[in-house]
Amino acid sequence: MVKNYRGVQMLKPVATDTQRISVRDYMSTRLITFHPEQSIMEVVEKLLANRISGAPVVNSMGELVGVISEGDCLKEVVKGKYHNLPILGGKVEDHMATNVMQIHPDTNVFEAAKMFLEMKIRRFPVQDDHGRLIGQISQKDVMRAVKNLKSENWH
């Protein structure tokens, strides 16, 4: 058995420039939002005009109360066809999803990516510590974040 005369040596951690990137760094902050009282027809027009697939629904105080998507609107289209009604009726509050998963702005984008895969959701509203809607992160935003990273320093 060979013993080293220098004894136990502590390895110094290698200094690495880790990139801590959070949802806050890549979320969209200029959001199109809807109100519960708006008509589904208004939603369809705005989604098409802005080339988006869904958006948060906020109350008069700006608090997140749901999300409305193309899928929610399509359900109304199918229902209208079944009842032979050609127009999209109803209000956002009648068709929006209210059990909405939110994400904190300080969440790491890799954790957000994992959440997207596990939950099969296309977008997460981002809320601050006071519950205010401050943005939205999409799968495309996460991909943009990954593209901007230095591959040797992922964290």
Side-chain angles (χ1 to χ4, degrees):
M1 176 188 233
V2 176
K3 290 189 179 183
N4 188 325
Y5 69 93
R6 291 190 273 176
V8 177
Q9 293 182 1
M10 297 297 291
L11 292 176
K12 292 181 183 175
V14 177
T16 58
D17 179 25
T18 58
Q19 299 181 47
R20 293 184 181 272
I21 55 169
S22 65
V23 165
R24 178 186 315 275
D25 300 325
Y26 288 92
M27 69 183 186
S28 300
T29 56
R30 296 179 65 196
L31 300 179
I32 292 170
T33 60
F34 295 105
H35 297 283
E37 309 81 32
Q38 281 184 277
S39 75
I40 290 296
M41 193 57 170
E42 288 177 78
V43 173
V44 169
E45 289 170 2
K46 218 170 196 182
L47 292 178
L48 290 171
N50 291 284
R51 303 178 97 145
I52 58 175
S53 61
V57 180
V58 295
N59 63 19
S60 59
M61 295 172 24
E63 299 167 329
L64 181 70
V65 294
V67 170
I68 189 89
S69 69
E70 291 171 321
D72 298 322
C73 296
L74 284 175
K75 289 175 191 171
E76 185 64 11
V77 168
V78 170
K79 188 169 99 178
K81 178 70 175 164
Y82 179 77
H83 295 292
N84 202 23
L85 300 172
I87 53 174
L88 294 169
K91 296 182 179 181
V92 170
E93 64 190 350
D94 300 327
H95 303 285
M96 67 183 186
T98 56
N99 187 14
V100 180
M101 291 294 303
Q102 304 97 19
I103 197 166
H104 193 273
D106 295 329
T107 304
N108 185 292
V109 291
F110 295 107
E111 182 62 29
K114 182 179 174 190
M115 292 168 67
F116 278 123
L117 291 173
E118 290 174 352
M119 298 180 191
K120 301 192 184 333
I121 294 175
R122 296 175 79 172
R123 72 194 65 77
F124 286 109
V126 181
Q127 290 183 299
D128 64 14
D129 292 328
H130 305 288
R132 290 185 300 250
L133 179 66
I134 60 169
Q136 177 175 279
I137 187 114
S138 69
Q139 293 179 6
K140 190 174 289 190
D141 296 326
V142 171
M143 296 305 298
R144 191 167 39 93
V146 170
K147 179 180 173 260
N148 291 337
L149 288 177
K150 297 176 190 168
S151 63
E152 68 274 9
N153 293 335
W154 282 21
H155 178 46

